[in-house]
Amino acid sequence: MLLATFGGAATLTVFAVDIVLPADYNVVGLYVVVVLVSGLSRSVRTVVWTALGMIALAWLGILIGYSDIRSDEATAHVLERGLATMVIGLSALFIALIVAREVENMELVRKLSVAEEGRSADQRMLAAASEIAAIGTWSIDVDDDRMTLSETAAEMHGFTPGTRPLTSEVLGQLDPTDAKVLMESVDAAWERGIPFREELRINPPGRAPRWVVKMGERVRLGEDSVASVHGTVQDITTWKQVELAASDQHNRLAQLTRSLPIIVWTADPQGNIEYFNDALVEYTGSAPEGLLGDKWSSAVDPRDLDAVVAAWTESLETGKAYDIEYRVRGADGVYRWHHLAAQPELDDAGTIIRWWGTSINVDANRHLREEADKLAADREIILESMSEAVCAIDRDWRIIYINSSAERLLSRTREELVGHVLDDVGPGFKLSEPYRVMERAMNHGTPEHLTYRAETLDMWIDISIAPSAVGLTIFARDTTEVRRLSEQLSQSQRLEAIGQLTGGIAHDFNNLLTVVLGGADALADDDEVQGEAREMVTMIGTAAERGAELTHRLLAFARRQPLEPRSVDLAEKLLGLEPLLRRTLGDHISLQVTSARGQFLAEVDPGQFDNAVLNLAINARDAMPHGGALMIEVSHTTFDETYVTSHGEVSPGTYVVTSVTDSGEGISPLDIGKLFDPFFTTKEMGQGSGLGLAMVWGFVKQSGGHVTVYSETGQGSTFKIYLPVATTAAAPAAPSTSARRQHVASGKILVAEDDDLVRRFAVDRLRSSGYEVVEAGSGPEALEVLQSMDRVDLLFTDVIMAGGMTGRELADAVVELRPGTPTLYASGYTENVVLHNGRLDPGVHLLTKPYSAQDLLHRVGELILPPRSEVS
């Protein structure tokens, strides 16, 4: 009766605690403890009904406290209660099995007790003992390998009464380990007279296994003779079953407490800990003896110790349930929050006889509560610090949140937006593309993405839409600048691709022009060509030269022209170029060339710089057909990381800037992006090739610089050329190429050229001038004919050739075979064979295609070694 009262009180107490505590407290351990306590009733029915009651109260508790649970936590708490139901059910199942076995064992013990009480005399006691546990005798004689068994013993071992089985047959009924133990005991009795008692498990043939006790001692015939070892054997299967059942019950209970995910403990009426499961030892890492009694307080956080002791003392004095949270030191030395609860067990007089307690690690839950509050604050900080605009709307299309970036993007305040329907904030919103995409995300619950042009905001916006529990979360960012950079990159890649194409075309075209120019030169040198024929020759030469200029511009755009950069003062260079510019521009254009004081040294090819400025000046002149002003100025500027990030193909550093500004018609914004494309022109048909600005762009890029253009229609344009600052003083001007050194045309030349027409032209011109020439159509062929040449005074080779060997590779091979042999390269498209980073490699001599006969003979005359007969 008292236990039932206690169980009812404990049940109501746990239920009350469950309702009073916040919903995120896990009190499943308390329900489990009540189920465990119900096992003391030794009634399976009581355990089952208690478990069902605990499950019902656990779910009733969450229903009563549901109003305190936020909707986003409801699923977690339902899952928690589902887990609690499983734990309570499993606990009840274990307890019910243990109680059932205990009842069975108690009944068996009762029967044994009744039987023992009925024995009143020695014979009756022996008879009763024989009925409950048969007793027989056995013996082993000297020099006999057979065992003598009494009738009862023989029956017990499954042998026919009266037979004497072999000792090995009896031992064969035992487990190998038991057989070894028995024989060792028999030997010890035989040799040293040590009596023995062994519990053994036998396996009689055709019968169930039995447990027996074998006792034995030796029997002497005299002082010096041992006749046998004999003893008794008793069937103790019934007692063993009781013992094993009790042990199994104890093990199950111990296993149950060990497997519980909480700490379970008991204390005596004075509050001294008597028992705890392994969970406490595993958590604290302390030895069990270090936690018994009142030593458990050593694991309590000193900051909480006074409050813990005061609360425990109050419970001991008043008998009230113990319920508190405090920090307990773990094995790793870290203090974590635990929720401790204990209920007193009372006897019939109402006196406390034991305390039943649990300890649940709630550190994670406590920190989660703290983190939830912190996350709420952090979320606001994070959202406010995001560069992306964030907006949340509910399913009624009402704005429920925006961050500061959204305010800046929309140029609206929170007060103007939050709480308002989107269509009210932006009339006509339901007709827009973003609305259709957002509606699809809302209806289907799938993320969406779009990029669109917001005309009212004058920007491109990238929008990501993510469905949420309440509606949609929208992330938006201004991608106007990104798109501009992307367009810049696309333009740069397009120009690079065009450059590759034009460079290849220029290579083949230059070979043809070399032959045409050579043929025109040969006809012009022929005195028999007169009249209209000579005029035609002159026209052919002029056309070829114009073609050469065209390929030169193509190569400049493709960044494949050979440059010879040096340190040049651009301010001084522009002053020297000013007279030519004035003649080119005409009287209707006023020209002003200015610069700040000091030097403006740039690393640049001076001739190509002149061409670039002249092209820009001509372009400006054409933009001012009725006159205007052109200003050219030089200054310094520095590109920092910010500028480099927003402009492609630019390196940080200091540059010399040449600005060309006109007051002309300006350039349409639609044409700005295509301005440097080859063959693009805004001029009328026949008034421009469209290669001038392309050549400027290619030259500047090849020089490691940067070019920009700014223009407003009707206001004029400004082109700026940024060239790297030189690190050395200005180099002296290169000597004029007009004064050509005279040289006697003699010597042996090895000519390697894969184009048959070009090779024929070059060989004919050289031979007609008196040189001895050996020709080859490829690098390998040239090396082959070199073996038969007694000497070679000059190697004249194309740079790019078929046959698997470049001109540079051929020259290296020739020098290795004939050291000191000079090389003259010819090419209209060098790739990076003799040209690296826009510069000719040191010691490299290059004749650019197309070339005339005079250019060929002049360069050969500069490099060819004098005949060996002249050197003596």
Side-chain angles (χ1 to χ4, degrees), residues 252-576:
R252 287 185 180 181
L253 183 59
Q255 181 63 32
L256 175 62
T257 57
R258 280 197 298 269
S259 63
L260 287 175
I262 60 175
I263 297 170
V264 179
W265 54 274
T266 64
D268 63 17
Q270 290 72 41
N272 297 310
I273 301 297
E274 296 178 319
Y275 166 82
F276 45 79
N277 62 351
D278 293 344
L280 181 60
V281 176
E282 292 174 0
Y283 174 76
T284 62
S286 301
E289 57 271 15
L291 298 170
L292 293 172
D294 59 358
K295 298 176 183 178
W296 57 270
S297 61
S298 62
V300 178
D301 192 323
R303 294 169 291 183
D304 305 327
L305 186 57
D306 291 342
V308 169
V309 172
W312 185 228
T313 302
E314 181 183 0
S315 293
L316 293 175
E317 292 175 352
T318 62
K320 294 180 180 178
Y322 182 62
D323 194 287
I324 192 172
E325 281 191 6
Y326 57 86
R327 286 160 286 195
V328 182
R329 185 185 65 249
D332 56 0
V334 177
Y335 288 96
R336 297 179 179 85
W337 286 96
H338 279 64
H339 177 230
L340 272 79
Q343 293 285 341
E345 179 184 350
L346 308 177
D347 60 12
D348 294 338
T351 304
I352 298 176
I353 59 175
R354 186 177 292 104
W355 287 87
W356 296 84
T358 60
S359 176
I360 303 174
N361 187 337
V362 296
D363 193 73
N365 289 342
R366 191 178 181 104
H367 286 302
L368 281 176
R369 292 197 303 271
E370 295 173 355
E371 284 297 322
D373 295 336
K374 184 177 180 296
L375 284 175
D378 290 346
R379 184 200 64 174
E380 189 67 20
I381 294 174
I382 293 171
L383 290 175
E384 287 302 307
S385 63
M386 288 179 63
S387 59
E388 284 186 316
V390 181
C391 175
I393 62 174
D394 61 19
R395 296 190 176 276
D396 295 326
W397 298 94
R398 192 177 306 278
I399 300 173
I400 57 178
Y401 172 83
I402 66 168
N403 67 349
S404 298
S405 295
E407 289 183 294
R408 290 191 294 271
L409 181 70
L410 301 174
S411 299
R412 305 281 290 274
T413 65
R414 282 184 173 87
E415 291 73 19
E416 295 177 286
L417 298 173
V418 175
H420 297 278
V421 177
L422 281 177
D423 202 43
D424 294 339
V425 173
F429 173 72
K430 289 187 176 181
L431 301 177
S432 65
E433 181 184 4
Y435 173 79
R436 291 192 294 273
V437 177
M438 290 164 64
E439 186 178 37
R440 185 165 64 242
M442 183 87 77
N443 294 337
H444 298 167
T446 56
E448 296 287 347
H449 179 271
L450 81 154
T451 300
Y452 87 109
R453 172 75 178 174
E455 298 295 341
T456 57
L457 300 175
D458 190 25
M459 65 178 66
W460 284 91
I461 301 178
D462 187 84
I463 300 177
S464 295
I465 305 166
S468 67
V470 296
L472 297 176
T473 302
I474 302 163
F475 302 88
R477 60 190 178 95
D478 180 3
T479 59
T480 306
E481 182 66 15
V482 174
R483 289 179 67 88
R484 186 184 67 79
L485 291 176
S486 177
E487 290 171 357
Q488 282 187 358
L489 177 61
S490 176
Q491 180 191 22
S492 176
Q493 292 173 336
R494 185 178 71 253
L495 294 178
E496 180 69 23
I498 296 174
Q500 293 285 346
L501 175 63
T502 55
I505 294 174
H507 173 264
D508 294 335
F509 196 40
N510 278 330
N511 282 336
L512 297 175
L513 289 176
T514 299
V515 177
V516 174
L517 276 175
D521 286 346
L523 291 174
D525 291 341
D526 190 345
D527 295 335
E528 297 182 2
V529 178
Q530 299 293 333
E532 292 184 0
R534 179 164 291 278
E535 292 180 1
M536 184 63 66
V537 169
T538 302
M539 290 175 59
I540 293 173
T542 302
E545 290 174 355
R546 291 180 64 181
E549 177 63 21
L550 179 63
T551 58
H552 172 72
R553 291 182 175 231
L554 287 172
L555 287 174
F557 163 73
R559 292 183 277 179
R560 297 295 187 274
Q561 62 178 334
L563 298 180
E564 297 185 28
R566 55 190 177 89
S567 180
V568 178
D569 186 343
L570 296 189
E572 181 180 337
K573 186 68 177 168
L574 287 174
L575 289 177

Side-chain angles (χ1 to χ4, degrees), residues 150-169:
S150 68
E151 183 176 342
T152 302
E155 178 69 21
M156 199 180 303
H157 284 277
F159 296 113
T160 302
T163 61
R164 298 182 67 240
L166 293 171
T167 303
S168 59
E169 291 178 334

Side-chain angles (χ1 to χ4, degrees), residues 3 6-7 10-11 14 27-40 47 50-51 54 84 87-88 91-92 95 253 256-257 260-266 275 277 339-345 354-360:
L3 187 60
F6 170 76
T11 301
V14 172
V27 296
V28 60
L30 300 179
Y31 286 109
V32 171
V33 169
V34 173
V35 174
L36 292 175
V37 173
S38 68
L40 298 175
V47 172
T50 300
M54 292 297 98
V87 173
I88 293 171
S91 301
I95 296 299
L253 183 59
L256 175 62
T257 57
L260 287 175
I262 60 175
I263 297 170
V264 179
W265 54 274
T266 64
Y275 166 82
N277 62 351
H339 177 230
L340 272 79
Q343 293 285 341
E345 179 184 350
R354 186 177 292 104
W355 287 87
W356 296 84
T358 60
S359 176
I360 303 174

Side-chain angles (χ1 to χ4, degrees), residues 491 667 671-677 680 682 690 693-694 709 719:
Q491 180 191 22
I667 305 169
D671 295 333
I672 290 289
K674 300 176 289 185
L675 208 57
F676 296 109
D677 288 4
F680 175 78
T682 59
L693 292 179
V709 57
F719 288 82

